[in-house]
Amino acid sequence: MDSADSAATDRPAPHEIAFLRGGRRAALTVAVLTLRLSGSIGPGRGGTLRTRRPLDDTEADLPALTRAVHASLLHQPAHLRQLLVREAVALALIDLRYQLTVAGLAPVFLPGRTRAGRRVLRTLRARHPLPGSRRGLSAEDRLLAVALYGDRALTTLMPRFAREGRPAGRRGKATEQRREYGQSWGSGGGFSCGAV
């Protein structure tokens, strides 16, 4: 596991938790949300994401996935789905899966999580129930809730962010459904990280 958050709290970082819960798209959504909360990226035209500023020295210890997302958006705005296939982001996601596999939380060949990974999620959910509102929550608390509970937390705690990524004209309606690690998410650029 690659972040200082993991070592300091002896728990996976939010993007790692999200990957265990909902796969690549869930981890990417948490990485994007991290940058959005810091003001490093913002909404662009047609539901895309774009950079607002370079990363500063205090953000040097961000996870590799989060840095890859920012670097990718420096060159060209993108929808979340487009970010998934950009080389630096795709490689960071592969590395994240490898790290979780080495840690014994994700299986070697199959998607999903190991018994230890399921136990980590169960323990974290018991310690951190889904908040009913964002009142009084820090950015870290919101990231953890989205990592643990996916779309339920995203729409409750970050409703504007959840709407920002939808392309104009779709009004948030998913026109297709995909499955990843047993979690559903809608099409287009909308931010979604799987239901629990």
Side-chain angles (χ1 to χ4, degrees), residues 4-23:
D5 180 49
S6 297
T9 63
D10 197 30
R11 75 167 187 233
H15 69 288
E16 295 164 335
I17 295 167
F19 192 97
L20 287 175
R21 182 196 48 75

Side-chain angles (χ1 to χ4, degrees), residues 23-157:
R24 296 174 336 119
R25 188 169 176 115
L28 181 58
T29 297
V30 168
V32 166
L33 182 56
T34 300
L35 293 167
R36 184 72 171 97
L37 288 170
S38 74
S40 300
I41 65 171
R45 291 183 175 199
T48 61
L49 298 162
R50 64 175 180 81
T51 55
R52 287 186 155 172
R53 63 172 178 80
L55 295 177
D56 60 35
D57 293 339
T58 64
E59 297 165 311
D61 64 344
L62 285 173
L65 175 59
T66 307
R67 289 191 316 269
V69 168
H70 189 272
S72 179
L73 291 172
L74 277 173
H75 303 292
Q76 182 178 4
H79 291 285
L80 195 68
R81 183 174 43 189
Q82 294 167 324
L83 280 172
L84 279 169
V85 297
R86 288 197 175 168
E87 184 177 10
V89 175
L91 290 173
L93 286 164
I94 290 168
D95 187 53
L96 174 57
R97 177 167 172 67
Y98 173 76
Q99 291 173 23
L100 291 170
T101 300
V102 168
L105 300 174
V108 176
F109 297 111
L110 300 172
R113 52 201 159 271
T114 62
R115 185 177 298 163
R118 289 189 298 274
R119 186 174 35 243
V120 166
L121 289 177
R122 202 171 35 250
T123 301
L124 287 170
R125 284 181 179 148
R127 290 182 188 161
H128 305 279
L130 177 64
S133 77
R134 62 183 177 210
R135 190 172 317 178
L137 294 179
S138 67
E140 292 79 21
D141 292 336
R142 286 184 276 170
L143 283 173
L144 181 59
V146 170
L148 284 170
Y149 298 101
D151 285 345
R152 291 187 299 166
L154 195 62
T155 56
T156 300
L157 305 177

